[in-house]
């Protein structure tokens, strides 16, 4: 009591309920991984606060399914071939040369009474195990995955019968929708599954027209779609799962072309040289775009924006183009519609590296397009310091010196 009086006299207000609450929350935040680890060990953790007990790593997937009821819980897979990818050429930076290799996943998975927690893109089995192969950051260990630092997960909404996870790593992004939604449907068909048996498709709905166009073209009943923007945590009586299709594959490109690149589209006239502007984008803009457009206009480039265009219109535009210049962005997904040997010049920030940064180089490689990457100066904007958000600037004198040989080579090909 004396200690309390002394503290109140010399440091008044230090122990008020509001201050103490802030201190407790601060300590919990700093010690969150430790607290989460303790809670996972409690017998009621998964049933009450829904924290996953452990992570089933990719290499342990087969072992998990070993003694399951094969009618509702199964894992069918094929050993897919390694894809050899032609390298991109960096116009103003030394980069690794030689072909790269990519080994895709090929499987069909079913889990009974499984949950999907959308904020962490995580599939959780009825026993309370996060299944790494069909969750985000699949190569991460349990310690590295952020879901295992959570102290509480909201309750799941239950859906009867059969559901399929259609959601991608970004359901509002053109690239992800184009290259990841359709292949999930096609995979089930390849494994002989009747799509009409599916009662629910789990996907975050977008107001952007391209998602609706993809779903409509795939003949997916809109009444069966469960919007993950409203249902963040779902549980399905039977949940069907496929690979995430993190990178394009040759068979996917072929199917996408067949889906949207009709004979009528192939025969229409469109510009031979296009610059794809990001002027309506919120980030990754070209800051000196006006000056850059002034420069490339001398070479006969048409300036285009794909916002508001249907997929078929974009397919027409890109199929007719021989040279495309564009900042890194989802619009470059349309190079899937290009003719072989088209020239792609991608503008990208210096620090924007890694798997997703090089996805269009990967796409050009498997399509036999001539991909050139120009590394730009970068600038922080309101979205922060992450490389994916940085605005760009092109050194026009340098670009002119590097671009003219590319243009000359392309003209020679056309003449020959």
């Amino acid at each position: 009591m004396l200690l309390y009086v002394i503290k109140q006299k010399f440091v008044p207000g230090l122990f008020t309920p509001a201050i103490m609450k802030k201190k407790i929350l601060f300590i919990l935040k700093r010690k969150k991984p430790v607290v989460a680890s303790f809670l996972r060990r409690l017998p009621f953790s998964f049933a009450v606060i829904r924290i996953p007990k452990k992570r089933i790593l990719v290499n342990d997937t087969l072992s998990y399914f070993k003694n399951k009821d094969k009618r509702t819980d199964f894992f069918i897979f094929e050993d897919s071939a390694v894809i050899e990818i032609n390298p991109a050429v960096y116009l103003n930076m030394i980069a690794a040369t030689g072909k790269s290799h990519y080994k895709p996943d090929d499987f069909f998975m079913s889990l009974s009474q499984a949950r999907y927690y959308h904020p962490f893109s995580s599939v959780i089995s009825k026993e309370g195990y996060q299944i790494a192969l069909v969750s985000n950051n699949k190569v991460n260990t349990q310690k590295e995955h952020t879901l295992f630092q959570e102290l509480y997960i909201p309750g799941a909404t239950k859906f009867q019968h059969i559901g399929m996870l259609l959601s991608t790593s970004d359901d509002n992004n053109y690239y992800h929708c184009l290259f990841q939604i359709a292949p999930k449907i096609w995979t089930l068909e390849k494994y002989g599954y009747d799509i009409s048996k599916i009662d629910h498709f789990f996907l975050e709905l977008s107001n952007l027209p391209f998602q609706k166009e993809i779903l409509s073209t795939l003949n997916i009943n809109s009444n069966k779609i469960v919007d993950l923007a409203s249902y963040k945590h779902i549980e399905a009586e039977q949940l069907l799962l496929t690979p995430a299709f993190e990178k394009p594959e040759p068979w996917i490109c072929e199917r996408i072309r067949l889906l949207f690149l009709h004979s009528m589209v192939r025969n229409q006239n469109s510009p031979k040289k296009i610059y794809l502007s990001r002027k309506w984008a919120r980030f990754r803009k070209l800051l000196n775009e006006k000056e850059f457009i002034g420069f490339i206009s001398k070479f006969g480039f048409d300036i285009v924006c794909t916002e508001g265009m249907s997929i078929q219109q974009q397919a027409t535009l890109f199929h007719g183009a021989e040279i495309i210049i564009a900042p890194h962005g989802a619009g470059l997904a349309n190079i899937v519609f290009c003719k072989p040997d088209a020239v792609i010049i991608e503008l990208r920030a210096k620090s924007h590296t890694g798997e997703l940064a090089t996805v269009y180089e990967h796409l050009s490689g498997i399509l036999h397009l001539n991909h050139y990457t120009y590394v730009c100066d970068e600038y922080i904007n309101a979205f922060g310091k992450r490389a994916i958000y940085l605005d760009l600037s092109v050194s026009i004198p340098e670009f002119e010196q590097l671009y003219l040989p590319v243009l000359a080579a392309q003209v020679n090909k056309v003449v020959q």
Side-chain angles (χ1 to χ4, degrees):
M1 184 65 184
L2 180 60
L3 181 61
Y4 174 79
V5 171
I6 293 171
K7 285 180 178 179
Q8 288 300 305
K9 180 172 175 130
F10 293 102
V11 278
L14 186 63
F15 296 96
T16 63
I19 298 270
M20 291 301 293
K21 182 180 178 181
K22 284 184 179 179
K23 287 182 176 294
I24 291 169
L25 290 174
F26 177 75
I27 293 169
L28 278 176
K29 187 176 180 180
R30 289 190 63 186
K31 300 294 183 181
K32 198 174 181 181
V34 177
V35 175
S37 177
F38 169 75
L39 290 175
R40 279 199 306 276
R41 291 179 172 85
L42 299 176
F44 57 82
S45 62
F46 182 64
V48 179
I49 53 181
R50 290 166 287 277
I51 300 172
K53 298 175 184 177
K54 68 176 183 179
R55 180 170 168 88
I56 302 294
L57 300 179
V58 172
N59 291 338
D60 297 327
T61 307
L62 269 176
S63 299
Y64 170 76
F65 282 95
K66 190 174 182 181
N67 298 314
K68 297 292 180 184
D69 183 344
K70 303 303 179 188
R71 293 170 298 177
T72 56
D73 295 76
F74 55 80
F75 176 52
I76 308 168
F77 68 96
E78 292 185 10
D79 189 21
S80 56
V82 173
I83 301 171
E84 192 174 71
I85 300 149
N86 294 323
V89 176
Y90 280 70
L91 291 175
N92 59 337
M93 188 180 82
I94 297 173
T97 58
K99 295 187 176 183
S100 58
H101 299 86
Y102 174 66
K103 187 174 175 61
D105 292 324
D106 187 352
F107 64 82
F108 174 27
M109 183 186 295
S110 174
L111 290 167
S112 61
Q113 308 300 328
R115 300 177 184 181
Y116 174 71
Y117 188 41
H118 191 51
F120 288 83
S121 302
S122 292
V123 174
I124 305 169
S125 73
K126 58 188 173 187
E127 303 93 346
Y129 303 151
Q130 186 203 45
I131 311 298
L133 184 61
V134 284
S135 300
N136 67 343
N137 302 316
K138 67 179 186 180
V139 298
N140 284 12
T141 64
Q142 180 171 308
K143 187 176 180 180
E144 293 169 331
H145 201 284
T146 52
L147 178 61
F148 289 89
Q149 296 179 18
E150 291 299 291
L151 305 179
Y152 172 79
I153 295 175
T157 303
K158 295 186 178 182
F159 291 88
Q160 304 244 329
H161 310 305
I162 301 170
M164 180 186 182
L165 184 63
L166 269 190
S167 186
T168 74
S169 51
D170 186 350
D171 295 338
N172 292 286
N173 180 276
Y174 180 69
Y175 165 79
H176 292 289
C177 284
L178 187 64
F179 278 95
Q180 294 176 314
I181 290 178
K184 294 187 178 199
I185 296 292
W186 295 332
T187 295
L188 263 61
E189 292 174 343
K190 185 185 82 167
Y191 279 95
Y193 193 88
D194 185 356
I195 304 297
S196 65
K197 292 181 179 179
I198 297 174
D199 301 284
H200 314 286
F201 294 96
F202 301 110
L203 176 74
E204 182 175 336
L205 288 177
S206 167
N207 291 323
L208 300 168
F210 58 76
Q211 191 193 69
K212 294 176 183 177
E213 187 177 351
I214 291 168
L215 296 172
S216 174
T217 308
L218 292 169
N219 296 315
I220 294 175
N221 187 338
S222 60
N223 295 324
K224 290 186 174 184
I225 296 174
V226 175
D227 187 2
L228 293 175
S230 302
Y231 297 91
K232 300 291 187 185
H233 191 191
I234 60 95
E235 179 181 323
E237 189 174 343
Q238 185 180 358
L239 183 62
L240 307 180
L241 302 147
T242 67
F245 299 106
E246 294 157 348
K247 285 191 173 182
E249 301 171 34
W251 73 271
I252 295 173
C253 295
E254 184 180 348
R255 292 288 298 263
I256 289 173
R257 288 170 69 90
L258 287 172
L259 198 62
F260 294 106
L261 198 56
H262 306 306
S263 57
M264 183 178 67
V265 171
R266 295 174 189 269
N267 296 327
Q268 291 183 12
N269 292 324
S270 57
K272 300 300 180 188
K273 301 173 187 175
I274 61 174
Y275 168 71
L276 188 61
S277 173
R278 282 181 60 85
K279 67 178 181 179
W280 302 116
R282 296 175 299 159
F283 50 82
R284 212 183 311 119
K285 292 185 176 186
L286 188 61
L287 297 179
N288 62 335
E289 185 174 74
K290 184 178 179 180
E291 294 79 8
F292 186 70
I293 287 174
F295 163 69
I296 61 174
S297 293
K298 296 185 295 184
F299 300 96
F301 276 83
D302 282 57
I303 315 305
V304 298
C305 293
T306 55
E307 285 81 357
M309 294 175 64
S310 70
I311 299 175
Q312 288 196 6
Q313 288 172 325
Q314 294 179 68
T316 302
L317 178 67
F318 278 75
H319 186 69
E322 294 173 356
I323 305 179
I324 297 159
I325 301 177
H328 178 94
L332 273 172
N334 288 303
I335 65 176
V336 69
F337 302 116
C338 287
K339 296 170 185 170
D341 292 326
V343 171
I344 316 299
I345 301 179
E346 178 183 355
L347 311 178
R348 204 169 72 223
K350 283 181 181 178
S351 59
H352 192 187
T353 58
E355 293 295 310
L356 198 56
T358 58
V359 70
Y360 300 118
E361 295 177 7
H362 172 101
L363 181 55
S364 289
I366 62 177
L367 291 170
H368 305 290
L369 307 178
N370 300 301
H371 197 107
Y372 299 86
T373 300
Y374 177 84
V375 178
C376 299
D377 291 328
E378 56 194 29
Y379 298 89
I380 297 171
N381 53 37
F383 286 85
K385 298 180 179 180
R386 285 188 62 194
I388 195 170
Y389 296 128
L390 297 175
D391 288 332
L392 314 174
S393 178
V394 173
S395 169
I396 294 175
E398 179 188 54
F399 188 87
E400 181 174 16
Q401 182 183 5
L402 297 168
Y403 168 71
L404 289 177
V406 173
L407 179 61
Q410 183 66 12
V411 170
N412 289 337
K413 283 184 182 179
V414 173
V415 172
Q416 292 169 5

